Amino acid sequence: MEWTRTAGTIAQRVAGWVTLAVSRVAVAPKVTAIGRPIVCLAEGSSIEIGSGTTLISRAPNTPLGVARPVILRTLRPGARMVIGEHTGLSGATICASISVTIGNRVLMGADVLIADTDFHPVDMVPRRFEPESRAAAAPVVIGDDVFLGARSIILKGVEIGAGTVVGAGAVVTSSLPPGVVAGGVPCRVLRPLAPASHDESGRPAHGTRAL
């Protein structure tokens, strides 16, 4: 039984790597992909994944499970998606029409959604057949050491400062400063992180853990 479980895990990692390799993603060393992510790149766009990052696309491999595989998708020519080093994604969906930048050591709970576009024009009726390129879009930036709770949603134009914690299920429609705990719909700042838990840049201090 243990041998079967180990062999299955190895097979899932190989499947994940093959998917990334054939998808024109720039993958740094020591990236782990458990299960097959869904990766789609628009012509002339790019996706980069930093060293030590983990992508989990299978429910048995993460405590909360995942509703879907990791989805990485660029939608327009020239779009850019950058995922930093030692970042963890569990069933996350990330869509970039212009730019999505995710820092180092970012934690994403199960089924986080990040998008820099509205996908469809908001003020145009009828909108059913309008192309995504006519939708409003603005870059998204997630700082180092940010913790995005399960099923949180990060929308276009948002910048989240280093070390900040976003509560589960939050809908983030505007930027958040570094070093705070935020949550709700729409998301708002609830309190600062405990003083000992982050340094002046908002990054967790040595020997402490983000909340």
Side-chain angles (χ1 to χ4, degrees):
M1 181 66 70
E2 185 62 32
W3 181 88
T4 302
R5 187 180 298 111
T6 301
T9 299
I10 293 172
Q12 290 297 331
R13 292 190 179 202
V14 170
W17 259 102
V18 169
T19 300
L20 293 175
V22 301
S23 300
R24 297 184 289 118
V25 175
V27 181
K30 299 182 180 179
V31 169
T32 301
I34 301 175
R36 292 180 182 271
I38 297 171
V39 183
C40 302
L41 281 83
E43 190 66 32
S45 66
S46 64
I47 298 176
E48 303 171 25
I49 303 176
S51 176
T53 285
T54 300
L55 288 68
I56 298 178
S57 296
R58 298 184 70 247
N61 296 97
T62 184
L64 288 177
V66 295
R68 64 190 64 81
V70 170
I71 300 173
L72 306 177
R73 179 168 283 142
T74 56
L75 302 174
R76 302 181 190 178
R80 187 171 185 235
M81 182 186 305
V82 178
I83 300 171
E85 298 181 352
H86 302 288
T87 285
L89 293 74
S90 297
T93 298
I94 306 174
C95 289
S97 285
I98 298 175
S99 174
V100 174
T101 303
I102 297 167
N104 300 321
R105 301 174 301 279
V106 172
L107 295 172
M108 297 188 200
D111 305 325
V112 164
L113 188 154
I114 301 171
D116 70 351
T117 173
D118 285 339
F119 294 97
H120 300 279
V122 171
D123 296 312
M124 184 179 296
V125 179
R127 65 179 66 86
R128 172 66 178 86
F129 299 105
E130 294 297 325
E132 187 280 330
S133 60
R134 299 195 66 176
V140 171
V141 179
I142 311 296
D144 293 344
D145 302 298
V146 166
F147 180 6
L148 302 177
R151 298 177 180 84
S152 56
I153 299 174
I154 316 301
L155 298 179
K156 71 177 189 301
V158 164
E159 182 170 350
I160 300 178
T164 281
V165 178
V166 175
V171 179
V172 186
T173 60
S174 58
S175 296
L176 297 171
V180 300
V181 176
V185 181
C187 189
R188 61 185 178 84
V189 174
L190 301 176
R191 65 172 177 84
L193 292 181
S197 66
H198 63 286
D199 61 23
E200 292 180 355
S201 69
R203 289 179 50 181
H206 180 70
T208 64
R209 297 168 59 187
L211 299 180

